[in-house]
Amino acid sequence: MIFKDRGIEIKTREQILSMRKAGLVVGRTLELLRAEVKPGITTGELDAIAEDHIRSSGATPSFKGYHGFTGSLCTSVNDEIVHGIPGDRVLAEGDLISIDCGAIVDGWHGDAAITVGVGTVADELLELARICEESMWRGFAAAKLGGRLTDISAAVEAHVRANSSYGIVEDFVGHGIGSAMHQPPNVPNFGRAGKGPKLVEGLALAVEPMLTLGKQDNHTLDDDWTVVTDDGSAAAHTEHTFTLTPQGPWVLTALDGGEAKLAELGVTFGPLAD
């Protein structure tokens, strides 16, 4: 049974466990792709690897056919922030690519993204990717049952502001997730704490900071999908799907459920399984 409060889907324990199955498919697919990223491979080849792995795992790609999207991944390179379409683009030494992946198992979704350097990458790009990922984990660490959604947003922004002058993309945000890939509520990567819906058991959210080396201003290309920075600066994007249990956060798309990263931040890990 799915309970909805103001359009926000609240899952049962069993439904969250199904989301964990989808999350593991996503997490394993991304780790496979991380190892495949190298100069000379095309984004289309990465997409084919991902689709084969997702389907052979008994899952369905979330993205393929979504509002007409043609890939099983979003592959966004250098100044592309999100929604890059896989194709014949050849990755080159020094590129930075974000890979966004979604999978469905028994009607339940998982969604995550990583940013990976291609070969030897400039230190400033690696630092951009590092701060992007760290800010996401700070968001998870700030999430507590009974808290508010923007506690996550504020923690993401605070970490970015304290460690960089990067642009925080405001036009694209995280989201609720469950029986559909995109659901309410939106999860901004900026804002004041203490606002928005209450964080409760059974709520699942995809938290996904998007940072730019320059300004956050952006536009969509003529393909109606690929979002790029206006100033041509590089971008990074990191994402995981998570939920809260009485013990703490459980990151459904992380292979270890988030245990190691949460421990680094002094946060109790809250798995329902594993």
Side-chain angles (χ1 to χ4, degrees), residues 31 34 113-116 125-140 156 159-160 166 207-211 236-240 254 261 264-265:
E31 287 309 299
R34 187 191 297 274
I114 57 175
T115 294
V116 184
L125 298 184
L126 295 177
E127 183 68 0
L128 174 69
R130 185 182 71 82
I131 295 297
C132 188
E133 182 177 5
E134 281 186 355
S135 68
M136 174 191 65
W137 286 101
R138 296 293 176 131
F140 297 145
V156 170
H159 187 71
V160 176
Y166 300 145
V207 177
E208 49 179 324
M210 291 161 244
L211 306 182
H237 172 210
T238 310
E239 178 181 17
H240 270 307
K261 290 287 189 181
E264 289 178 11
L265 296 173

Side-chain angles (χ1 to χ4, degrees), residues 180-194:
M181 181 165 57
H182 294 118
Q183 300 178 326
N186 286 340
V187 186
N189 296 304
F190 60 93
R192 294 176 56 188

Side-chain angles (χ1 to χ4, degrees), residues 77-182:
V77 183
N78 297 335
D79 64 334
E80 298 172 352
I81 301 171
V82 284
H83 304 159
I85 303 171
D88 58 6
R89 180 167 185 166
V90 179
L91 297 185
E93 187 87 16
D95 283 344
L96 193 69
I97 180 172
S98 69
I99 304 173
D100 194 351
C101 179
I104 311 166
V105 175
D106 298 329
W108 296 96
H109 289 254
D111 189 7
I114 57 175
T115 294
V116 184
V118 183
T120 302
V121 178
D123 288 344
E124 67 174 359
L125 298 184
L126 295 177
E127 183 68 0
L128 174 69
R130 185 182 71 82
I131 295 297
C132 188
E133 182 177 5
E134 281 186 355
S135 68
M136 174 191 65
W137 286 101
R138 296 293 176 131
F140 297 145
K144 296 176 176 58
L145 291 179
R148 295 289 178 174
L149 183 138
T150 63
D151 298 347
I152 300 169
S153 309
V156 170
E157 181 178 15
H159 187 71
V160 176
R161 300 295 186 215
N163 290 279
S164 74
S165 59
Y166 300 145
I168 301 175
V169 175
E170 298 182 2
D171 298 321
F172 299 90
V173 297
H175 50 90
I177 184 171
S179 62
M181 181 165 57
H182 294 118

